[in-house]
Amino acid sequence: MPRVTFVTSLHGGLVWAGLEEQAFRTADALSRRGWDVEFLTPVTRSLGDIVHFFGTYEGTWEVAKECLRRRVPYVCSPVFLPDEAGIALKLKAQRKRWTDQTSYRGNRRLFQRARRLIVLTAKEQQNLTDYFGKLPSATTIPNGVELAWPDADPDRFRQEFQIESPFVLCVGRVCKRKNQAVILEAMAGSTVPVVLVGPHDGDYVDACRRFAKPVDRIVGSIAHDDPLLGSAYLACHVFCLPSRSEVLSLAALEAAACGAHVVLSNTWGGEEHFGSSAFFVDPNSAALKQAIMAAMALPRRSTEEAAEFAARFTWGSVAEAVENVYREVLSAG
């Protein structure tokens, strides 16, 4: 049985987010394909036939150096999420080379010495190159969709939060990067409820509340396996995520797979995977309101359309593509 060691953050399951979902769902799907998947822990004494890094954390380069010393090949899923892009990102890289040499150089060497990078979008690959310079070849593999709510009832979410009309949903940490305040600002003059689901970041949620109408809701966190989250996706008419930066939103994939119309920012390359299944706009309030209202005017997508979308993004297909990368790397010696 081939063996792979996954390297993720130590806080992993304590602070669950998109990267942890990606790593653990990939591990589960690879296990179903016959791989022995283990996660690196402080008591790990041996490495698998190949090592797979997810993200970068303090000490990641030290682990990579041990892979190189032991002649164990490794690949990286950077999940690289910069605040800038293009020229601004290149200028930031120049500053980092002088002011943050240990962290920046460690991450750069981590990626440079990898046998392969696995990126979520071509935009992520371009950002990596702009920031770190020339890197190994990359394979684009999107995330999958796990609809873990077989018994979800859309009426439950509406009743629990007293929502009586078609609404706009956003799921994700309520923070400046996710940019939810612009949804509330854009829709302030409408009667359409806006619902934010996710943990709050200090002062930013207060800014959101200043724009909120009486019919809007700022709900807080809902666990991913809670049927209430599935109910929210099934109940909403439009899912909107106007992120300033993103890699590949799992929440947006889940919403589309549940039949919602999806409105996303055009800043991170989501067009590559969503295509005509989503509206893409510059995340300013005027453009955002226009796109949301256009989506609200459409009939909700049918169960068949939603299922067809979901079938394009399964964790099984993700694992198959990742396995192909592993085998190519291992066969190259």
Side-chain angles (χ1 to χ4, degrees):
M1 179 184 293
R3 181 166 157 245
V4 57
T5 303
F6 276 21
V7 182
T8 60
S9 64
L10 284 176
H11 59 254
L14 299 175
V15 185
W16 198 268
L19 185 144
E20 287 73 34
E21 182 77 7
Q22 178 184 350
F24 281 82
R25 295 294 182 188
T26 303
D28 179 65
L30 281 169
S31 297
R32 296 173 188 274
R33 296 183 64 83
W35 283 78
D36 180 8
V37 184
E38 62 181 5
F39 283 80
L40 185 78
T41 73
V43 297
T44 298
R45 291 293 179 266
S46 65
L47 297 171
D49 302 300
I50 189 168
V51 172
H52 190 159
F53 290 89
F54 287 82
T56 57
Y57 302 93
E58 185 175 352
T60 302
W61 171 234
E62 294 302 316
V63 179
K65 286 195 291 187
E66 192 61 24
C67 292
L68 296 170
R69 189 184 72 81
R70 299 186 185 206
R71 300 182 183 276
V72 176
Y74 71 84
V75 301
C76 294
S77 292
V79 195
F80 184 56
L81 189 61
D83 293 326
E84 300 89 356
I87 294 174
L89 187 59
K90 293 177 181 179
L91 291 173
K92 181 178 179 179
Q94 291 180 356
R95 294 193 301 271
K96 284 287 186 179
R97 287 166 194 163
W98 291 100
T99 61
D100 188 20
Q101 295 184 24
T102 300
S103 176
Y104 177 83
R105 288 183 180 178
N107 290 338
R108 187 180 185 186
R109 288 167 179 162
L110 169 74
F111 298 142
Q112 286 177 333
R113 301 295 294 274
R115 296 290 188 89
R116 187 79 59 86
L117 301 181
I118 298 175
V119 297
L120 292 166
T121 64
K123 179 68 172 178
E124 182 190 4
Q125 182 180 359
Q126 183 61 58
N127 286 338
L128 284 161
T129 302
D130 288 343
Y131 195 55
F132 294 107
K134 187 177 180 180
L135 295 174
S137 62
T139 299
T140 301
I141 304 174
N143 282 326
V145 177
E146 178 71 18
L147 301 181
W149 321 284
D151 301 318
D153 177 3
D155 288 334
R156 179 189 167 192
F157 190 85
R158 296 190 191 102
Q159 292 168 1
E160 184 152 338
F161 297 101
Q162 299 178 332
I163 302 170
E164 298 178 356
S165 59
F167 65 95
V168 178
L169 175 70
C170 182
V171 176
R173 177 171 292 278
V174 181
C175 62
K176 185 176 180 180
R177 181 172 62 80
K178 296 290 187 181
N179 201 29
Q180 290 97 332
V182 75
I183 312 175
L184 294 164
E185 182 182 10
M187 303 303 290
S190 77
T191 59
V192 177
V194 175
V195 180
L196 307 184
V197 174
H200 304 159
D201 266 9
D203 295 340
Y204 187 79
V205 72
D206 294 331
C208 290
R209 290 191 178 106
R210 285 195 291 272
F211 290 115
K213 310 183 295 293
V215 294
D216 295 337
R217 302 286 185 268
I218 299 176
V219 170
S221 298
I222 300 176
H224 187 269
D225 58 355
D226 189 333
L228 186 62
L229 181 60
S231 173
Y233 284 137
L234 291 167
C236 74
H237 197 89
V238 173
F239 177 92
C240 180
L241 185 64
S243 300
R244 298 178 186 274
S245 62
E246 194 69 58
V247 186
L248 178 58
S249 169
L250 284 165
L253 288 174
E254 290 167 344
C258 286
H261 293 291
V262 177
V263 177
L264 303 171
S265 56
N266 60 2
T267 59
W268 52 273
E271 296 91 335
E272 180 178 353
H273 298 305
F274 284 88
S276 60
S277 298
F279 293 80
F280 290 93
V281 295
D282 185 85
N284 66 73
S285 58
L288 200 63
K289 182 175 183 178
Q290 185 178 10
I292 290 173
M293 295 309 294
M296 290 294 297
L298 296 172
R300 204 174 191 277
R301 293 164 66 233
S302 69
T303 302
E304 292 76 17
E305 288 177 306
E308 183 178 341
F309 180 89
R312 292 164 45 200
F313 300 94
T314 68
W315 287 110
S317 63
V318 169
E320 181 180 4
V322 170
E323 180 182 27
N324 289 338
V325 170
Y326 293 171
R327 295 199 182 282
E328 289 171 11
V329 168
L330 290 169
S331 65

